[in-house]
Amino acid sequence: MFRKMSLLVVMLLAVAVFAAKIEIFSWWTAGGEAEGLQELFNIFSKANPGVEIINATVAGGAGAQAKAVLKTRMLGGDPPDTFQVHAGHELIDTWVKTGFMEPITFLYKQEGWDKAMPKGILDIVSYNGELWSVPVNIHRANVLWYNKAIFDKYGLKPPTTFEEFFQVADVLKSHGVIPFALGTKDGWEAAHAFETVLIGKLGAEGYKGLWTGETKWSDPRVTDALETFAKMLTYVNPDHSARTWDEACALIAEGKAAMNIMGDWAVGYFYAKNFKDFGWTLAPGNAGIFDALSDSFGLPKGAKNRDTVIAFLKVLGSKEGQVAFNLKKGSIPARTDVDKSLFPEYQRSAMDDWLKHEIVPSVMHGAAASEGWVTEFKDVISLFVARPDVKVTQKALINIAISQGVAQ
Ligand code: BGC
């Protein structure tokens, strides 16, 4: 009897020690994000029934808190099995060049992803002739969302220029409606909106040049962008500092505010809340430009469950995974061979635009510049919200570029 019991204990212990697990680290906790992640888990679990998924999320849009937690863990030699990271500078500068990742070129070849994904996407996950993460989507950052019922009620047309934006905002204000919903609680949301103002004022080439040194931060168009943004801020909800990005979207869904500028994870939020009466256009002055970013996952060196991570990455890159995830997330698949008709109207339009618009990399979401620059950029714009001093802010933006080694 006693021997039988101890055998059982030993067996249970063995199961506990050797049970397959995978810890997946991300900041996907809001409406749309959490549902998208769950779809990936469901597909993975069906194919890998014995594996326990540890959903290691750290709330805070754009990785506002997650990135710091991740850094501590990576530097402390305790990497999650895999983690969300923006394709482009965030992946390459922060994690690849520093030697924290294993290349996964073999998976691209094995799974045919090098054929199924466009060159522009493969480029931003490449370094030194190797591929380093699996892009699960393409998000668009420069969208203006609006509440259709409010626009209809006051006979308004979605604005496409800054001039129209202010005209519409004045009408809304005169009727006691919040014209422009904003949440600044996590410190990145205003910088996100400002990024689209920079694009609107500088155009695709001018905006891209800001991150390479071809456009100087002293450019009068940057001054104009700051002045314009300061004016836009006079139309926002007074409680913006208490709201996160999704809580700002809630103002649109609840009919309390008319417009906001947010990436298309906002549409994932609207789907999750079953809010259907939204419309979209591009942020003012952004016609013909696709401000892009991509969420991806890679294979950290020293991941405890390497084989399981590879199985998960396969789901991320698969057609099935990309369709199920993006249907909830609001983004479009990174693969170009999916059936477009499976997607709702907004995403079909994003797929069309992705092929015909000029693509620029989002700064706030890791594609355009290194993480250090992004952090300083967002902090300066956060200060600007509290104290919209154009001169001081432009000087600070110039200094950041210099400190990043980009001559001004
Ligand atoms: C990510 C999106 C996410 C958004 C808000 C962005 O940086 O790329 O996937 O939904 O932040 O959290």
Side-chain angles (χ1 to χ4, degrees), residues 23 70 74 78-83 95 99-104 132 297-306 309 313:
E23 187 191 15
L70 178 66
M74 295 289 280
D78 176 31
D81 288 313
T82 186
F83 60 88
W95 300 120
F100 284 92
M101 308 299 284
E102 261 193 57
I104 53 165
W132 297 89
F297 289 78
L299 180 57
K301 275 186 193 158
K304 289 173 214 80
N305 303 291
R306 189 177 179 279
V309 181
L313 296 181

Side-chain angles (χ1 to χ4, degrees), residues 27-33 60-64 67 84 86 90 137 139 188 192 245 262 264-266 293-295 325 329 331 364-366:
W27 60 85
W28 285 332
T29 57
E33 303 181 332
K67 286 186 200 169
Q84 177 187 1
H86 290 124
E90 189 178 310
N137 63 0
H139 262 306
W188 62 276
H192 176 111
W245 72 267
M262 189 40 68
D264 49 16
W265 41 93
L293 63 120
S294 171
D295 293 303
F325 170 76
K329 188 69 171 66
S331 36
M364 200 41 250
H365 305 281

Side-chain angles (χ1 to χ4, degrees), residues 28 36-37 40 84-85 87 108 117 121 125 133-139 293-297 312-313 315-318 321-326 329 331-335:
W28 285 332
L37 186 59
L40 294 170
Q84 177 187 1
V85 60
Y108 273 78
M117 294 187 195
I121 288 293
V125 292
S133 69
V134 189
V136 71
N137 63 0
I138 296 159
H139 262 306
L293 63 120
S294 171
D295 293 303
S296 75
F297 289 78
F312 183 67
L313 296 181
V315 172
L316 299 188
S318 71
Q322 298 232 332
V323 170
F325 170 76
N326 285 294
K329 188 69 171 66
S331 36
I332 60 175
R335 295 181 71 118

Side-chain angles (χ1 to χ4, degrees), residues 28-75:
W28 285 332
T29 57
E33 303 181 332
E35 285 81 357
L37 186 59
Q38 189 56 48
E39 291 291 333
L40 294 170
F41 291 172
N42 293 347
I43 296 173
F44 174 81
S45 291
K46 220 189 269 164
N48 303 274
V51 180
E52 182 196 346
I53 295 175
I54 301 167
N55 183 14
T57 50
V58 178
Q65 279 81 32
K67 286 186 200 169
V69 174
L70 178 66
K71 210 156 277 173
T72 309
R73 289 192 54 176
M74 295 289 280
L75 298 181

Side-chain angles (χ1 to χ4, degrees), residues 106-245:
F106 67 96
L107 257 183
Y108 273 78
K109 296 264 168 332
Q110 197 179 304
E111 302 293 305
W113 297 335
D114 48 346
K115 308 260 161 15
M117 294 187 195
K119 183 173 179 301
I121 288 293
L122 296 176
D123 282 350
I124 58 172
V125 292
S126 295
Y127 177 70
N128 253 354
E130 301 273 12
L131 290 141
W132 297 89
S133 69
V134 189
V136 71
N137 63 0
I138 296 159
H139 262 306
R140 181 174 213 169
N142 57 340
V143 189
L144 183 146
W145 307 95
Y146 61 94
N147 178 304
K148 271 189 176 167
I150 299 180
F151 269 61
D152 288 348
K153 184 167 175 193
Y154 301 114
L156 297 169
K157 280 218 237 25
T160 59
T161 63
F162 289 103
E163 209 186 359
E164 287 171 7
F165 177 89
F166 291 121
Q167 281 163 5
V168 165
D170 281 332
V171 175
L172 291 163
K173 201 172 184 177
S174 73
H175 289 290
V177 178
I178 299 163
F180 187 39
L182 185 67
T184 56
K185 190 172 177 187
D186 283 327
W188 62 276
E189 306 88 336
H192 176 111
F194 181 60
E195 164 175 332
T196 73
V197 179
L198 285 172
I199 296 170
K201 291 293 182 183
L202 289 121
E205 287 315 308
Y207 163 82
K208 280 196 279 185
L210 288 171
W211 314 106
T212 61
E214 268 159 63
T215 310
K216 304 289 176 234
W217 281 90
S218 55
D219 193 294
R221 292 170 299 174
V222 175
T223 321
D224 186 13
L226 285 166
E227 279 163 359
T228 305
F229 190 49
K231 188 166 170 199
M232 290 168 84
L233 290 171
T234 64
Y235 293 91
V236 303
N237 41 298
D239 66 347
H240 60 83
S241 62
R243 284 181 187 266
T244 55
W245 72 267

Side-chain angles (χ1 to χ4, degrees), residues 5-21 50 52 305:
M5 269 182 63
S6 38
L7 196 66
L8 192 69
V9 170
V10 170
M11 277 165 67
L12 283 174
L13 271 176
V15 169
V17 172
F18 296 112
K21 278 189 192 151
E52 182 196 346
N305 303 291

